Every structure is written in structure tokens, then in C-alpha cells.
Amino acid sequence: LNGTLRLIETVRVLVTGGSGMLGKAVEHVVMNEGLKREGEEWIFLSSKDADLRDLGQTKAVFEKHRPTHVIHLAAKVGGIYEHMRDNLLFLSDNLRINDNVLQTAHDTGVTKVVSCLSSCIFPDKITYPIDETMIHNGLPHDSNFGYSHAKRLIDIQNRGYFEQYGRRYTSVIPTNVFGPHDNFNKDKAHVMSALIGKTYKAKMEGTPVTVCGTGAARRLFTLSWDVGRLIVWVLREYDEIQPIILSVGEEDEISIKDAVEMIAEALDFKGEIKYDTSFSDGQLRKTTSIAKLRRYHPDFTFTPVKEGIKMTCDWFVANYNSARI
């Protein structure tokens, strides 16, 4: 009888950080691409629904929605200079958010949690390509050590909840994600979205686009909708506690210069592109290995970066008045 009851139990998936780029991507693939299964209920939370830094509010929102599964995307994030200025705040806020969500998930009997880590958690001094086993092999980059350490500790907490209680709480590591609903503000955004915002502004004002650095740095850019599809797959199919990297493969790595040229084409920007070489290029490569993803999900096809850029640019232009710029 118990087995029968369990079969007809509703699956309720609570997504924290539901109004951010990845939350919106998960919502898109679940609601618009038919990934939602019969008998499933999906709840997308934003910071307006609960301040997850507060344990009382976290408990109340779990009590209200009674999730069976959680996709934990909520985090306090900022641009690189904000992180440098406020490392302690990014550490303490994210430690609180993650501890409250995981503890409350455990206390309320949530079956599975998939949390989102970040590629900035990897050690600064490392050999390439980077894989999931290397997370704790050295210190992360100094610039955002608070955020990076808080994110690393999710992996440690997941291990603890598994060893002590047998909980299947795991995590994903997306790399250089871009897409609709991102932050396109040049001071707060990730590189791809910052470049899209900058190029559109230059087109409107008839001025050149200035890119920081030489444009030689190479990155693996991954469209948010692809990451959304994979997060849903991880929730359903991936049974390890150890994280899994979600990223396009090494063969799809492009330079910042390539990205700028694709953006200019997508936005029909005909002006001048300048490279300000007084700015550092940062790490020239941050190549990650997706051998684990390929082993588990060999048939997954990523959106070609050029197509993803075109789609994101079109979304940005259409939603310019409501986008974060």
C-alpha cells in the first residue's frame, strides 16, 4: 500500500532564485518545452517570496509549498568589483542562504536537492582541463574568495547530508552561462551579457564599442536554456552526490573577440570595435572537461554559440525596457 501511495503522491518542485536567468531558463524548458510531467507541480520563488538568509522565512516558505524536490539557484551575486569590495558579505549571506535551504529541505523530508555551484569555485592555480574532482585542490581566485568558498561548502554539506542521513543532495557547475533574463549591466554582468548591453548602447548612441583587454581570452559559453534542460535531467536521472559540470565541450571554446564579432552581427552593429589593452585579459583559458556529462548523457546536443547569441540579442532588444541594464 505504501508503494501505491508513493506512486500517486504529487511531485512538487520548488525552484529558489526563480526570477534569475537560470530560474527563468528552468521555467521556460519546464513550462514551454514539455519537460513538465503529469502530476508535477513547479513553484518558482523569487526574493520577494522569502528572504532565504532568514531561517524563519525559509521554513515558512517550505511549510507553505511542501516541496518534495528542490532546485536551489538562489544566491547573492554581484559584479567583480562588488565582490572585491564586499567579500565578507558575499560569504556570510551565501552561507546563510545555503545552510537554511539545505537544513530546511532535510528537516521537511525533501527527497532530492540540486544546488547550483559556480565555475569560480575552482582553484586559481590548476591544470587544464578542469574536472569535478579538482574543486578543493587549492584556493580559489582572490577577487571573490567569499562567494567561492560559500559555494564550495555546498559540496561539503551535500556530502555530510549523504553520509549522516543518506540524503541525495547534489550540485551542478555551469560555466559562463548567458541568455534571456540575465543582468546586462556592464558593471554587474558576466562577460557575454555585458558585451551585449555595451554593443547595443553603442549602436543606439553611434559610438564605438570598447572591449576590456585584447579579446584573446577563450571561454566555453553555454546558453541558459541548455543548462535549464540539463538541471531538470540532473534532478531526475543523476544519482551521484559529487557535482557535475554542465558546459559545452572544449571544441566549442571561442575567444572574447569571436563573441564580440558574433554580437555585432546579431545586433547589426556597424560601428568600430576597440580593444583597450590597458585592461588585463584575466585568465586566458578556463577550460572545463565534460567527460562526466558525456558519459552520463552522451546524446545531449548544445545550442551552437552563434545561435544562442542571436537568440539572446533578440530577447534583449525586444525586452530592453524591462531588462536589467
Side-chain angles (χ1 to χ4, degrees):
L1 181 65
N2 275 352
T4 321
L5 281 176
R6 204 165 294 135
L7 281 177
I8 55 172
E9 242 176 49
T10 305
V11 170
R12 282 185 300 278
V13 187
L14 183 73
V15 181
T16 72
S19 61
M21 170 178 60
L22 274 182
K24 287 291 187 188
V26 171
E27 184 177 21
H28 171 79
V29 300
V30 168
M31 299 305 184
N32 302 339
E33 291 188 357
L35 288 188
K36 182 176 188 279
R37 290 178 178 171
E38 204 180 325
E40 279 182 352
E41 203 183 308
W42 286 74
I43 302 114
F44 295 87
L45 287 187
S46 81
S47 52
K48 291 186 198 76
D49 299 299
D51 181 346
L52 299 174
R53 293 171 300 185
D54 180 287
L55 183 58
Q57 290 190 40
T58 308
K59 283 180 170 174
V61 88
F62 271 71
E63 196 65 35
K64 179 182 174 183
H65 297 292
R66 301 189 345 275
T68 57
H69 297 69
V70 172
I71 294 174
H72 174 38
L73 308 174
K76 180 179 173 67
V77 290
I80 185 68
Y81 299 108
E82 287 177 277
H83 278 282
M84 286 164 83
R85 199 175 53 238
D86 267 338
N87 264 300
L88 180 61
L89 183 66
F90 284 97
L91 175 70
S92 56
D93 276 2
N94 284 299
L95 285 176
R96 282 194 189 98
I97 291 169
N98 301 334
D99 196 39
N100 289 345
V101 168
L102 291 171
Q103 187 192 325
T104 307
H106 167 66
D107 290 345
T108 57
V110 169
T111 307
K112 187 163 180 182
V113 180
V114 178
S115 296
C116 189
L117 308 186
S118 161
S119 55
C120 70
I121 67 174
F122 288 113
D124 186 32
K125 310 268 186 290
I126 199 167
T127 54
Y128 295 96
I130 304 167
D131 69 38
E132 293 86 351
T133 64
M134 300 177 179
I135 293 173
H136 305 286
N137 288 2
L139 292 171
H141 194 271
D142 257 357
S143 59
N144 55 355
F145 71 87
Y147 179 76
S148 304
H149 279 292
K151 283 290 191 187
R152 276 186 185 191
L153 281 170
I154 292 178
D155 178 47
I156 304 294
Q157 287 172 298
N158 287 343
R159 186 177 152 190
Y161 278 111
F162 178 68
E163 287 189 6
Q164 202 150 343
Y165 301 108
R167 289 288 185 207
R168 291 267 163 203
Y169 297 170
T170 189
S171 58
V172 296
I173 310 171
T175 69
N176 296 297
V177 187
F178 71 99
H181 300 278
D182 198 2
N183 190 329
F184 293 86
N185 177 302
K186 68 177 172 54
D187 300 317
K188 295 190 175 188
H190 296 113
V191 60
M192 180 72 85
S193 299
L195 290 168
I196 290 171
K198 237 184 211 187
T199 307
Y200 187 67
K201 190 168 183 273
K203 182 185 173 179
M204 295 292 96
E205 294 173 357
T207 54
V209 168
T210 304
V211 181
C212 300
T214 66
R218 300 180 70 77
R219 294 290 180 265
L220 297 164
F221 290 108
T222 311
L223 183 66
S224 59
W225 289 6
D226 288 335
V227 178
R229 292 171 191 123
L230 285 168
I231 287 173
V232 175
W233 167 79
V234 167
L235 186 74
R236 292 182 173 149
E237 310 290 344
Y238 178 73
D239 268 343
E240 282 189 38
I241 305 305
Q242 279 79 24
I244 184 166
I245 291 168
L246 306 181
S247 165
V248 295
E250 273 183 79
E251 66 282 1
D252 293 316
E253 191 173 58
I254 62 165
S255 71
I256 300 297
K257 188 172 187 294
D258 295 333
V260 173
E261 285 166 5
M262 288 177 193
I263 291 165
E265 188 182 326
L267 290 172
D268 197 29
F269 173 75
K270 302 276 200 278
E272 189 190 352
I273 299 168
K274 291 180 171 175
Y275 291 87
D276 185 345
T277 54
S278 69
F279 282 90
S280 145
D281 280 325
Q283 286 170 292
L284 282 178
R285 299 186 75 198
K286 283 175 149 175
T287 317
T288 44
S289 161
I290 58 162
K292 190 191 232 184
L293 177 63
R294 287 268 177 258
R295 196 166 70 242
Y296 273 106
H297 201 344
D299 53 349
F300 186 82
T301 313
F302 285 93
T303 307
V305 67
K306 192 170 181 179
E307 198 181 303
I309 287 174
K310 177 72 179 124
M311 196 196 85
T312 305
C313 287
D314 290 350
W315 180 90
F316 178 68
V317 173
N319 294 276
Y320 185 72
N321 293 330
S322 58
R324 292 183 287 172
I325 46 176

